[in-house]
């Protein structure tokens, strides 16, 4: 008598890892989109920059963000491992293979779509995350008259900035912050960046139209009532609303701002 | 009257699993459109034999869609251009005069080519032997309906049991995954009272064997379900996963090794 193989070295175990990390990344997208909607506010980035500070300094969120980075890495590494094994499972390829007769293009090309997304994530983090964490973004000061609610802003020189700071004096609130909003505006003036972001969001749409429902299938969900709901959310939520919402951000800064 | 046609076949010829194969172009002349695809190959083979050449090896047995022996990837599709049938059920009227037909074997590491178009599917047998059975005392014939089973469940188990083990699911899958087959074999027992004794051992043992045979990992493309001649559903794979994860995370049963 011997024990069965450990779950994580089995095909199903590896698939489960893909599924769980994938779903976690999907939930992150919802939060990320809702938070970033503040970019559309016409407030010189007041709300967005405060939010950016909160997201990078509130401990529970920091913990979740490390889980998130880990999930991205694990999802990508397992995808690579599984792809290599899948390649080995068919050493000689078909001369003719009519994939479209039995499956969708995106379901067969999750690896390509995922690679586009991985490059995107690296670029995206370099553009904003890295610059924000390494003092490579401009600084800004907001002064809000608490009586009237009017906010004015001015650019701060690096020498005038110590750290994020909120002070209230004489009914005037002063906020000194890193101006990530300006950095976003700056990055999205480059048509190449805008084009790449929009392309990446198209890849995201196709990745998730298959990926979201696929993750639940792997966990073992099969239910007459709930699977159609999952499929609906996968297509309309993660395949349409979320990618379009994100894609509108670079387009907004390029064409409208 | 049957229509007749001439076809150009590009057939995969391979001596054995040690040698490399290649495509050979063979003309199929005067093929009646009411022949089955296998009968067309019979005609071609008779010509080849008459010429003193080696006939094309291909698997077949029942020739009525129930044994699962016939295979062939025809123009990029397992069992040819139709859905829901085996190659022996494919008629030549699905092709037209002058057409070129590419014929390849199932391609998977776990299905090594024996010769030409015939592959070795004993990996499926070993998966079955690992857990695709129930231990019962046969005894006399039991009365019908002594164990009540809801019709819905009985139907679902029956549907899973219609899998003929042909391997088209593996052939169709871009990952050469056998999960549709294995899930059908697990489901047909997991659903029924008679299958409960070995239920969780079975899921673990069969999945382990499937992995050991070198089949790929399912990415839920659904190609298997679309190409399965028996319409085995993807929901079986979801069930297999449930069985396996339940066994792994919530049960602690050992798995016997059977060798
Ligand atoms: S699941 Fe379908 S395609 Fe796969 S072996 Fe069974 S009958 Fe053939
Ligand atoms: S020969 Fe038996 S199923 Fe085709």
């Amino acid at each position: 008598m011997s024990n069965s193989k450990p779950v994580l070295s089995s095909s199903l175990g590896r698939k489960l890892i893909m599924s769980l990390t994938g779903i976690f990344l999907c939930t992150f997208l919802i939060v990320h989109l809702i938070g970033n909607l503040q970019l559309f506010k016409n407030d010189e980035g007041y709300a967005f920059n405060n939010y950016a500070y909160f997201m990078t300094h509130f401990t529970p969120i920091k913990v979740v963000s490390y889980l998130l980075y880990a999930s991205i890495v694990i999802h990508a590494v397992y995808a690579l491992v599984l792809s290599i094994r899948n390649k080995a499972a068919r050493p000689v390829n078909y001369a003719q293979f009519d994939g479209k007769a039995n499956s969708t293009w995106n379901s067969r090309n999750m690896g390509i779509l995922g690679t586009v997304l991985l490059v995107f994530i690296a670029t995206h983090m370099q553009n904003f995350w890295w610059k924000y964490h390494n003092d490579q973004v401009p600084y800004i000061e907001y002064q809000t008259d608490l009586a009237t609610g009017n906010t004015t802003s001015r650019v701060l020189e690096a020498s005038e900035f110590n750290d994020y700071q909120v002070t209230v004096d004489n009914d005037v609130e002063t906020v000194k912050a890193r101006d990530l909003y300006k950095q976003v505006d700056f990055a999205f003036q480059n048509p190449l960046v805008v084009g790449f972001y929009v392309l990446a969001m198209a890849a995201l749409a196709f990745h998730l139209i298959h990926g979201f429902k696929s993750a639940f299938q792997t966990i073992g969900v099969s239910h007459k009532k709930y699977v159609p709901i999952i499929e609906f959310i996968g297509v309309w939520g993660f395949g349409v609303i979320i990618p379009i919402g994100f894609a509108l951000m670079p387009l907004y800064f390029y064409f409208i701002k | 009257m049957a229509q007749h046609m001439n076809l150009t076949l590009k057939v995969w010829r391979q001596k054995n699993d040690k040698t490399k194969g290649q495509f050979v172009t063979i003309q199929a002349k005067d093929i009646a459109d009411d022949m089955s695809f296998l009968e067309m190959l019979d005609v071609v083979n008779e010509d080849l034999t008459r010429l003193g050449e080696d006939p094309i090896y291909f698997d077949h047995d029942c020739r009525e869609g129930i044994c699962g022996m016939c295979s062939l990837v025809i123009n990029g599709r397992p069992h040819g251009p139709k859905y829901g049938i085996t190659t022996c059920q494919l008629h030549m009227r699905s092709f037209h005069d002058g057409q070129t037909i590419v014929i390849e074997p199932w391609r998977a590491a776990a299905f090594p080519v024996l010769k030409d178009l015939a592959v070795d599917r004993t990996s499926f047998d070993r998966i079955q032997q690992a857990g695709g059975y129930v231990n019962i005392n046969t005894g006399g014939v039991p009365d019908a309906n002594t164990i009540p089973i809801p019709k819905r469940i009985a139907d679902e188990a029956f549907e899973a049991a219609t899998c003929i083990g042909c391997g088209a699911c593996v052939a169709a899958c871009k990952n050469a995954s056998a999960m549709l087959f294995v899930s059908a074999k697990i489901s047909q027992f997991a659903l029924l009272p008679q299958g409960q004794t070995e239920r969780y051992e079975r899921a673990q043992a069969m999945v382990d064997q499937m992995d050991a045979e070198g089949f790929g990992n399912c990415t839920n493309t659904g190609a298997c379900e679309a190409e399965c001649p028996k319409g085995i559903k993807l929901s079986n794979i979801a069930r297999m996963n449930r069985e396996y994860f339940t066994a792994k995370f919530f049960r602690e049963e050992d798995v016997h090794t059977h060798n």
Side-chain angles (χ1 to χ4, degrees):
Chain A
M1 223 199 269
S2 77
N3 279 319
S4 153
K5 255 190 357 189
V7 65
L8 288 186
S9 51
S10 75
S11 54
L12 293 191
R14 293 197 178 98
K15 273 162 55 67
L16 185 67
I17 295 280
M18 291 301 289
S19 158
L20 296 178
T21 50
I23 292 175
F24 181 56
L25 294 172
C26 282
T27 57
F28 156 73
L29 286 180
I30 303 174
V31 179
H32 194 42
L33 178 70
I34 294 175
N36 285 12
L37 286 179
Q38 297 173 92
L39 283 170
F40 293 119
K41 276 194 168 171
N42 214 351
D43 64 353
E44 300 294 322
Y46 174 80
F48 182 74
N49 285 332
N50 280 318
Y51 167 73
Y53 178 81
F54 171 74
M55 292 305 271
T56 45
H57 292 83
F58 185 51
T59 308
I61 292 194
K62 277 173 86 174
V63 171
V64 175
S65 72
Y66 284 110
L67 274 178
L68 183 76
Y69 308 143
S71 288
I72 295 171
V73 172
I74 294 170
H75 195 77
V77 168
Y78 269 75
L80 186 67
V81 169
L82 287 167
S83 302
I84 291 170
R85 290 178 159 262
N86 290 345
K87 184 76 200 61
R90 174 161 296 141
V92 182
N93 267 322
Y94 290 108
Q96 204 173 339
F97 188 64
D98 190 0
K100 66 180 183 313
N102 52 40
S103 51
T104 55
W105 181 87
N106 54 324
S107 75
R108 279 177 279 120
N109 291 282
M110 292 296 276
I112 294 175
L113 294 167
T115 307
V116 172
L117 292 173
L118 196 61
V119 173
F120 167 77
I121 291 169
T123 326
H124 182 55
M125 288 188 73
Q126 203 277 329
N127 268 344
F128 302 121
W129 186 92
W130 176 261
K131 292 214 157 97
Y132 190 77
H133 282 82
N134 290 281
D135 272 326
Q136 294 177 11
V137 297
Y139 307 102
I140 193 163
E141 181 185 85
Y142 301 101
Q143 294 208 311
T144 311
D145 186 331
L146 293 178
T148 61
N150 283 340
T151 302
T152 54
S153 65
R154 73 179 179 96
V155 176
L156 282 187
E157 294 306 321
S159 55
E160 297 174 87
F161 184 85
N162 270 326
D163 204 353
Y164 175 87
Q165 213 175 41
V166 185
T167 47
V168 181
D169 197 14
N170 260 342
D171 252 11
V172 176
E173 182 208 62
T174 307
V175 179
K176 292 184 176 185
R178 292 186 169 81
D179 197 356
L180 187 60
Y181 181 85
K182 179 94 40 66
Q183 171 61 22
V184 170
D185 189 9
F186 168 75
F188 290 156
Q189 296 312 317
N190 181 344
L192 288 178
V193 173
V194 173
F196 180 56
Y197 269 62
V198 173
L199 176 88
M201 288 309 104
L204 180 72
F206 284 107
H207 196 74
L208 294 187
I209 285 173
H210 177 67
F212 188 72
K213 67 162 192 238
S214 178
F216 286 90
Q217 159 82 5
T218 294
I219 295 176
V221 180
S222 62
H223 192 284
K224 275 215 169 71
K225 196 159 81 198
Y226 299 130
V227 167
I229 296 176
I230 290 169
E231 286 178 358
F232 183 87
I233 296 174
V235 172
W236 291 101
F238 289 97
V240 177
I241 296 176
I242 289 190
I244 288 184
F246 280 125
L248 285 177
M249 291 165 191
L251 293 173
Y252 167 78
F253 280 97
Y254 187 71
F255 288 108
I256 298 172
K257 273 302 276 188
Chain B
M1 264 296 288
Q3 303 281 314
H4 285 69
M5 58 182 115
N6 295 321
L7 301 158
T8 304
L9 308 183
K10 288 206 155 77
V11 185
W12 184 261
R13 310 277 335 234
Q14 183 172 341
K15 239 205 180 100
N16 52 46
D17 69 338
K18 304 276 177 301
T19 54
K20 275 186 119 178
Q22 73 200 49
F23 282 100
V24 173
T25 306
I26 299 170
Q27 300 301 327
K29 294 208 185 68
D30 209 25
I31 302 297
D33 67 354
D34 52 9
M35 282 180 184
S36 80
F37 199 85
L38 299 187
E39 285 169 327
M40 181 276 290
L41 288 177
D42 291 339
V43 171
V44 171
N45 273 346
E46 272 178 39
D47 288 347
L48 288 176
T49 316
R50 227 173 275 131
L51 291 170
E53 285 174 36
D54 206 9
I56 304 162
Y57 274 63
F58 62 91
D59 271 325
H60 62 103
D61 189 7
C62 71
R63 297 211 175 191
E64 55 181 13
I66 56 171
C67 75
M69 267 314 274
C70 60
S71 51
L72 311 185
V73 170
I74 301 161
N75 286 344
R77 301 266 314 275
H79 294 308
K82 295 267 150 122
Y83 293 94
I85 55 168
T86 54
T87 302
C88 57
Q89 295 171 302
L90 176 66
H91 284 96
M92 292 313 292
R93 66 178 86 96
S94 301
F95 302 89
H96 59 79
D97 189 33
Q99 193 174 345
T100 300
I101 306 177
V102 180
I103 312 172
E104 299 177 68
W106 286 173
R107 295 204 188 273
F111 287 162
V113 171
L114 291 169
K115 188 175 165 108
D116 296 340
L117 302 170
V119 298
D120 179 359
R121 281 171 283 188
T122 49
S123 47
F124 269 15
D125 300 343
R126 287 188 291 272
I127 294 172
Q128 279 287 65
Q129 285 153 12
Y133 54 82
V134 286
N135 290 306
I136 45 166
N137 296 322
T138 46
V141 182
D143 285 337
N145 301 324
T146 42
I147 306 171
I149 302 167
K151 168 130 172 47
R152 200 171 42 79
I153 302 289
D155 285 351
E156 192 131 342
F158 185 82
E159 265 174 40
T162 59
C163 163
I164 54 177
C166 62
C169 43
V170 176
C173 176
K174 71 177 262 282
N175 313 311
S177 164
M179 291 200 189
L180 194 66
F181 164 77
V182 178
S183 70
K185 298 302 175 196
I186 288 176
S187 290
Q188 63 183 2
F189 294 130
L191 284 161
L192 297 178
Q194 294 89 335
Q196 297 311 301
T197 318
E198 306 90 348
R199 181 168 178 183
Y200 295 106
E201 272 180 35
R202 175 184 303 115
Q204 298 179 63
M206 292 181 79
V207 169
D208 281 358
Q209 191 62 37
M210 168 181 81
D211 290 351
E213 297 292 346
F215 288 104
N217 305 273
C218 167
T219 53
N220 304 326
T221 68
C224 53
E225 179 186 59
E227 297 292 6
C228 172
K230 298 297 153 187
I232 303 293
K233 293 198 297 279
L234 273 188
S235 53
N236 287 297
I237 299 186
R239 182 180 298 105
M240 169 177 75
N241 299 0
R242 280 201 305 277
E243 295 290 310
Y244 180 80
F245 295 137
T246 307
K248 283 292 185 198
F249 297 128
F250 308 111
R251 316 260 158 169
E252 293 196 1
E253 264 141 317
D254 286 343
V255 172
H256 300 272
T257 44
H258 295 273
N259 44 25

